[in-house]
Amino acid sequence: MLIGEYRYSVDPKGRIFVPAKLREETGDAFIVSKAMDDCLNLYTPEQWKAFSEKLTSLSDIKARSVKRFIFSTAQEVNVDSQGRICIPQNLREYAGLTKEAVIIGVETRIEIWSAEAYAAMEGEADREEMLAFLAESGF
């Protein structure tokens, strides 16, 4: 299970360190794609296959836009000898990755956020809503 929060700098070439703890769980090959939350998702090839098969099975009109959004810019990336991946320019721009990145493990995927977007997202989180959701879900 992928968990934890890590902060790293984005270098001028768009490279970001992938934490060793997460690489131990995932390996050194990923698919990077846009996420709906103004961040990027990193999937292992196996996770990507399961995710893309599920997404491909959707056939209504709304699904077409989602498929275009996610598949059109998805890219394969590999960890280099120093533990970094190079995020393509268009994906860095989408996620606002310029200086500091926040990398989090979210169960079955890794999310990459700009530090600013991550702070904003955390500030918007409604703790009461989350508590209510957990209570409704039996926690």
Side-chain angles (χ1 to χ4, degrees), residues 4 7-8 10 14 29 32 51 53 71 80 84 97 117 122:
R7 292 176 182 266
Y8 294 102
V10 179
V32 60
F51 171 74
E53 285 174 354
F71 289 130
D80 68 13
R84 303 168 302 187
L97 294 170
E122 282 191 311

Side-chain angles (χ1 to χ4, degrees), residues 46-107:
E46 297 81 20
Q47 293 163 336
W48 176 255
K49 185 176 190 288
F51 171 74
S52 63
E53 285 174 354
K54 190 171 183 179
L55 189 57
T56 301
S57 72
L58 302 175
S59 61
D60 66 16
I61 291 175
K62 292 178 187 175
R64 290 190 299 190
S65 295
V66 173
K67 290 176 189 178
R68 282 187 206 110
F69 178 81
I70 293 173
F71 289 130
S72 66
T73 57
Q75 302 256 339
E76 290 182 43
V77 294
N78 292 294
V79 176
D80 68 13
S81 61
Q82 296 188 353
R84 303 168 302 187
I85 57 171
C86 185
I87 303 293
Q89 178 69 29
N90 61 328
L91 293 176
R92 287 195 317 267
E93 288 173 2
Y94 168 77
L97 294 170
T98 56
K99 296 178 190 166
E100 185 182 19
V102 180
I103 299 172
I104 59 174
V106 185
E107 190 179 7

Side-chain angles (χ1 to χ4, degrees), residues 102-135:
V102 180
I103 299 172
I104 59 174
V106 185
E107 190 179 7
T108 61
R109 71 181 180 280
I110 297 169
E111 292 181 353
I112 302 174
W113 292 79
S114 72
E116 299 82 8
Y118 189 73
M121 181 271 304
E122 282 191 311
E124 293 172 2
D126 186 330
R127 307 247 187 260
E128 293 299 320
E129 254 184 48
M130 287 189 279
L131 287 171
F133 171 77
L134 288 173

